């Protein structure tokens, strides 16, 4: 693979020399700023060989580097071996920004290209805010400039996959809980409050949620490639029409939604007739922003003012209605049944060496597939045994797959898409004897998990204010993790949903009633093992006082937490009480759906400590 990547770099540099480019930047996103993208837009993976969901590759005429976060440090080091790429670890002291690195690298290689100071990035796959920030940062590096209208891979990526043409399907109102027409009415009201006449929607999960449609264009994410333009008088969906079945076309017509070809979105913006339009600068790509900004300057169309604010759809989508909440409960029940069947099967294995990371992942998926309304996994399962558990987003391949052994820890992070909800759960499982270090780390993670679950907080608090609860015990021992502690979860949509989250970095998005969010602290010791424990939570009322409305968390996830690694003396009485109460609820809820043998196993797994 390294040889292939180095050849691609040679081909890229030939293009760069013809275009007089000093560097090219390849982000991980698509024109919709998606976290997970269709194969057509996996430019960063194609040019670097690194396949994590987050990262940016940068190539100059003489060097190459890749920036990614702590979830992928170990995986990236392995995948970049033998290539020119230098790994840049985000949020680690001493790591330069992309602009700083480019300033230094381009200055060092100026001869004989001393006049080449232009850096290219595909403006169609970069958000407005990202491009604006990059323009400012590059300007500080000896006047480097940014070109946004060029995709060099069009010239060298010969077998590039086409944009998906998979059919779209209607998401039943019995699960959506609100009609598309009513959602659009609420969106228009929110736009009026922001003094905006219309909105261009680019986020694929926002579009799917708004229209009560689902697709399969992105692996594990039930979305479809499109744009949605809402004005005060009309709604237009920009999509490849081959994706629309007669049933979906009739549904859109009945909902009074016009349909235009996906590639016509620029013309739609040029012909947009209202005074202003809201463009979320974190969601809209720079190319479309420039179309609106230059409208009237280069043609005869009337000028349109841009309202640069967060799309109101993001937060609407995160607050679940009663049908969606009922769907989550149903999905978590099915998922809990599958997890118990899996954990019982795993505990009864007579010879672990017969099974590997991939085979246990396949087994779990097969058990989930037996459940009603199963539609697939919600992300690629992370099954990391031993040292692989320390690779935060490890995904076993035939080359890295290892057999299990009757000792140590298996970290299993997985989830499913059911028609009525999306699940995300992590359990770290003892397969046999453990070291004291393993037990201590496991218990610290469990303490952090429980403290989040126990939290009571005023409505509107930020997840950043709560994040410390997951880390305080491990910080006292000089331990930490660099990923977030929790993220929102969609309703048969993307498993990662925002903007709310638990995170060390300041994220002002408020936490309010009826949001879902995960609770997943972890500790990872490179070369040894990793521990993570995760439930998906629902934010529910706690009490009202003279100081306002207070909220708390309810665990939606129904699955026993392994007790074998726990050092009970490290737990506070309230933490023991929470674990026992949680296990009692898991047993009471799941046991009616299990066989006698499975119920007996679950009774022991949920026995109080």
């Amino acid at each position: 693979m390294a040889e292939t990547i180095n050849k691609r770099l040679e081909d890229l540099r030939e293009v760069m020399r013809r275009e007089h480019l000093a560097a090219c930047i390849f982000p991980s996103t698509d024109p919709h700023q998606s976290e997970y993208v269709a194969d057509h837009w996996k430019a960063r993976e194609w040019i670097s060989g690194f396949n994590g969901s987050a990262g940016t590759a940068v190539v100059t005429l003489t060097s190459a580097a890749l920036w990614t976060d702590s979830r992928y440090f170990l995986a990236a080091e392995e995948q970049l071996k033998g290539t020119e790429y230098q790994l840049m670890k985000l949020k680690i002291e001493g790591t330069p920004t992309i602009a700083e690195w480019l300033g230094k690298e381009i200055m060092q290689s100026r001869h004989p290209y001393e006049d080449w100071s232009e850096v290219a990035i595909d403006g169609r796959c970069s958000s407005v805010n990202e491009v604006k920030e990059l323009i400012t940062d590059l300007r500080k590096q000896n006047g480097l400039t940014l070109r946004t209208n060029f995709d060099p891979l069009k010239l060298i990526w010969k077998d590039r996959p086409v944009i998906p043409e998979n059919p779209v399907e209607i998401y039943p109102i019995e699960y959506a809980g609100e009609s598309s027409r009513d959602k659009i009415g609420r969106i228009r009201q929110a736009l009026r409050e922001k003094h905006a006449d219309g909105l261009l929607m680019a986020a694929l999960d926002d579009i799917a949620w708004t229209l009560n449609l689902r697709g399969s264009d992105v692996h594990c994410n039930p979305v479809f490639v499109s744009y949605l333009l809402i004005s005060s008088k009309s709604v237009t969906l920009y999509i490849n029409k081959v994706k629309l079945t007669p049933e979906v076309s009739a549904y859109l017509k009945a909902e009074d939604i016009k349909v235009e070809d996906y590639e016509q979105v620029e013309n739609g913006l040029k012909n947009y007739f209202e005074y202003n339009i809201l463009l979320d600068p974190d969601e809209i790509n720079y190319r479309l922003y420039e179309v609106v900004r230059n409208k009237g300057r280069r043609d005869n169309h009337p000028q349109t003012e841009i309202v640069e604010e967060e799309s109101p759809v993001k937060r609407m989508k995160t607050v679940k209605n009663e049908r969606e909440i009922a769907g989550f409960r149903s999905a978590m029940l099915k998922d809990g049944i599958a997890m118990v069947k899996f954990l019982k099967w795993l505990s009864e294995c007579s010879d672990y060496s017969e099974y590997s990371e991939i085979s246990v992942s396949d087994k779990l998926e097969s058990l989930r597939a037996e459940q009603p309304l199963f539609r697939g996994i919600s992300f690629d399962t992370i099954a990391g045994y031993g040292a692989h558990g320390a690779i935060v987003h490890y995904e076993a391949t035939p080359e890295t797959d290892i057999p299990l052994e009757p000792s140590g820890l298996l970290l299993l992070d997985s989830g499913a898409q059911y028609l009525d909800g999306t699940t995300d759960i992590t359990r770290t499982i003892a397969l046999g004897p453990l070291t004291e270090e393993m037990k201590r780390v496991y218990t610290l993670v469990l303490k952090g998990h429980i403290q989040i679950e126990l939290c009571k907080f005023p409505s509107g608090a930020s997840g950043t204010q709560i994040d410390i609860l997951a880390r305080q015990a491990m910080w006292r021992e000089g331990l930490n993790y660099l990923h977030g502690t929790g993220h929102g979860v969609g309703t048969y949509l993307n498993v990662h949903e925002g903007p709310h989250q638990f995170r060390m970095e300041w994220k002002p998005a408020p936490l309010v009633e009826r949001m879902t969010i995960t609770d997943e602290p972890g500790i990872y010791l490179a070369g040894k093992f990793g521990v993570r424990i995760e439930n998906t939570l629902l934010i529910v009322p706690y009490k009202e006082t003279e100081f306002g409305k207070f909220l708390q968390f309810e665990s939606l996830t129904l699955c026993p937490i392994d007790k074998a690694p726990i050092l009970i003396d490290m737990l506070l009485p309230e933490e023991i009480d929470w674990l026992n109460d949680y296990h009692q609820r898991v047993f009471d809820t799941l046991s009616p759906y299990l066989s006698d043998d499975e119920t007996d196993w679950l009774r022991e797994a949920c026995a109080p400590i």
Side-chain angles (χ1 to χ4, degrees):
M1 185 62 183
E3 184 177 340
T4 299
I5 296 302
N6 290 334
K7 176 62 169 64
R8 290 172 182 173
L9 289 175
E10 290 178 16
D11 294 342
L12 171 63
R13 286 171 178 144
E14 283 297 316
V15 174
M16 291 167 62
R17 291 185 183 97
R18 290 201 302 269
E19 295 289 328
H20 289 192
L21 293 173
C24 287
I25 299 174
F26 300 93
S28 297
T29 58
D30 59 9
H32 308 273
Q33 305 311 303
S34 306
E35 177 184 13
Y36 300 102
V37 303
D39 290 346
H40 176 82
W41 286 295
K42 291 183 178 179
R44 184 263 299 150
E45 179 177 336
W46 188 85
I47 198 64
S48 70
F50 168 64
N51 65 2
S53 67
T56 303
V58 184
V59 180
T60 73
L61 291 166
T62 58
S63 56
L66 182 130
W67 280 254
T68 192
D69 61 50
S70 64
R71 295 173 297 170
Y72 297 110
F73 288 168
L74 296 179
E77 284 177 354
E78 186 65 29
Q79 293 177 9
L80 298 178
K81 279 183 181 177
T83 73
E84 293 184 34
Y85 283 93
Q86 176 185 0
L87 177 60
M88 298 292 182
K89 298 181 177 181
L90 289 170
K91 300 179 185 176
I92 299 298
E93 187 175 353
T95 299
T97 66
I98 289 173
E100 290 169 345
W101 184 81
L102 281 173
K104 179 181 177 181
E105 291 293 317
I106 292 172
M107 282 298 295
Q108 289 179 347
S109 61
R110 277 262 167 122
H111 184 76
Y113 311 112
E114 58 268 16
D115 296 329
W116 296 7
S117 60
E118 194 169 50
V119 177
I121 192 170
D122 186 356
R124 286 183 171 84
C125 293
S126 304
S127 74
V128 175
N129 275 346
E130 288 169 340
V131 170
K132 285 183 175 180
E133 182 178 356
L134 193 53
I135 289 172
T136 299
D137 291 345
L138 288 174
R139 191 176 295 128
K140 298 174 183 176
Q141 303 297 323
N142 299 297
L144 295 178
T145 59
L146 189 67
R147 179 177 174 181
T148 61
N149 65 349
F150 182 61
D151 176 10
L153 297 193
K154 282 186 176 181
L155 302 173
I156 61 174
W157 191 353
K158 302 302 184 183
D159 56 349
R160 188 171 191 167
V162 298
I163 297 174
E165 298 179 348
N166 303 326
V168 173
E169 63 181 15
I170 299 169
Y171 190 54
I173 191 69
E174 64 186 284
Y175 304 122
E178 182 182 14
S179 71
S180 176
R181 193 178 295 272
D182 287 345
K183 289 177 180 178
I184 291 169
R186 285 205 290 136
I187 292 168
R188 283 180 168 141
Q189 176 59 37
L191 291 174
R192 286 192 289 272
E193 292 171 3
K194 293 177 178 286
H195 305 289
D197 300 320
L199 163 72
L200 177 65
M201 208 182 299
L204 302 184
D205 57 336
D206 285 4
I207 296 170
W209 176 85
T210 300
L211 297 181
N212 288 343
L213 297 173
R214 297 294 188 267
S216 58
D217 286 351
V218 180
H219 179 55
C220 297
N221 298 296
V223 296
F224 49 93
V225 175
S226 59
Y227 293 98
L228 190 66
L229 181 60
I230 298 177
S231 71
S232 63
K233 295 182 174 62
S234 65
V235 181
T236 304
L237 175 65
Y238 293 90
I239 188 171
N240 184 341
K241 294 180 183 179
V242 73
K243 300 163 68 66
L244 304 179
T245 65
E247 181 186 17
V248 172
S249 295
Y251 164 80
L252 291 170
K253 185 176 181 180
E255 293 293 309
D256 200 23
I257 296 166
K258 301 175 184 177
V259 178
E260 297 287 350
D261 287 329
Y262 177 71
E263 300 295 343
Q264 291 300 310
V265 64
E266 291 189 16
N267 286 334
L269 290 172
K270 290 176 182 176
N271 293 322
Y272 177 81
F273 61 90
E274 310 239 29
Y275 174 71
N276 63 31
I277 187 170
L278 189 148
L279 301 179
D280 186 330
D282 287 321
E283 175 183 328
I284 300 299
N285 67 63
Y286 191 73
R287 168 62 186 170
L288 295 182
Y289 173 83
E290 284 285 272
V291 168
V292 178
R293 194 169 71 90
N294 293 316
K295 183 183 168 190
R297 300 177 186 178
R298 300 175 182 172
D299 50 42
N300 295 322
H301 295 89
Q303 186 74 36
T304 298
E305 295 296 324
I306 297 176
V307 179
E308 292 189 38
E309 289 196 30
E310 179 184 274
S311 166
V313 183
K314 287 181 179 177
R315 301 194 185 209
M316 285 184 184
K317 183 173 87 272
T318 63
V319 179
K320 314 306 181 189
N321 60 47
E322 291 305 316
R323 289 283 184 88
E324 290 173 317
I325 291 172
F328 265 104
R329 296 192 194 284
S330 174
M332 295 293 175
L333 174 65
K334 293 189 284 281
D335 215 54
I337 293 168
M339 284 295 300
V340 167
K341 290 176 181 289
F342 170 81
L343 291 173
K344 178 179 180 293
W345 167 83
L346 185 65
S347 70
E348 295 173 348
C349 289
S350 58
D351 184 2
Y352 280 126
S353 65
E354 294 181 6
Y355 302 100
S356 68
E357 295 165 327
I358 289 179
S359 63
V360 296
S361 174
D362 291 343
K363 176 66 175 180
L364 178 54
E365 184 174 348
S366 71
L367 291 169
R368 282 184 163 126
E370 296 174 357
Q371 296 300 312
L373 305 183
F374 176 78
R375 302 302 294 270
I377 56 176
S378 56
F379 57 95
D380 287 319
T381 299
I382 299 166
Y385 174 65
H388 284 171
I391 305 173
V392 181
H393 268 212
Y394 171 77
E395 293 174 17
T397 66
E399 293 74 30
T400 66
D401 189 29
I402 57 174
L404 307 185
E405 298 177 17
S407 64
L409 296 168
L410 171 67
L411 190 157
L412 191 65
D413 187 349
S414 65
Q417 295 285 8
Y418 300 96
L419 195 60
D420 49 1
T422 301
T423 69
D424 187 1
I425 174 177
T426 307
R427 291 294 183 263
T428 303
I429 306 155
L431 298 184
L434 305 176
T435 66
E436 284 302 302
E437 182 181 42
M438 290 175 180
K439 293 177 181 179
R440 188 164 192 83
V441 165
Y442 183 95
T443 308
L444 287 171
V445 172
L446 178 60
K447 286 172 69 68
H449 176 89
I450 294 175
Q451 284 301 319
I452 291 286
E453 298 256 9
L454 289 172
C455 180
K456 311 294 188 286
F457 59 97
S459 179
S462 164
T464 306
Q465 296 166 309
I466 295 172
D467 181 85
I468 176 60
L469 296 176
R471 302 177 192 265
Q472 57 183 341
M474 58 183 73
W475 279 2
R476 292 191 186 113
E477 306 219 8
L479 298 168
N480 196 19
Y481 55 98
L482 298 181
H483 61 72
T485 303
H487 56 81
V489 180
T491 302
Y492 183 42
L493 265 177
N494 296 0
V495 73
H496 292 161
E497 185 174 86
H500 66 293
Q501 54 194 289
F502 298 133
R503 183 168 290 277
M504 284 195 298
E505 300 80 18
W506 173 238
K507 295 289 183 181
L511 300 177
V512 300
E513 186 179 344
R514 293 187 286 140
M515 281 180 167
T516 54
I517 189 167
T518 63
D519 170 15
E520 49 182 308
I523 296 175
Y524 314 93
L525 303 182
K528 293 183 177 181
F529 63 91
V531 175
R532 184 162 64 249
I533 300 171
E534 175 188 17
N535 281 357
T536 299
L537 315 178
L538 176 68
I539 301 178
V540 297
Y542 173 53
K543 66 168 64 174
E544 286 197 43
T545 72
E546 65 270 31
F547 297 101
K549 185 175 185 179
F550 285 75
L551 304 173
Q552 61 185 339
F553 299 113
E554 173 195 335
S555 278
L556 292 172
T557 301
L558 298 168
C559 179
I561 294 170
D562 195 351
K563 296 177 296 183
I566 299 174
L567 295 176
I568 297 176
D569 290 345
M570 289 178 60
L571 295 182
L572 300 172
E574 66 176 4
E575 293 166 350
I576 293 174
D577 289 343
W578 179 88
L579 184 63
N580 289 337
D581 289 346
Y582 174 71
H583 276 157
Q584 186 63 53
R585 184 162 70 88
V586 168
F587 179 80
D588 291 343
T589 306
L590 295 183
S591 56
Y593 302 91
L594 301 172
S595 69
D596 290 345
D597 287 348
E598 291 162 348
T599 299
D600 290 342
W601 181 91
L602 183 61
R603 182 180 290 108
E604 178 61 29
C606 292
I609 60 171

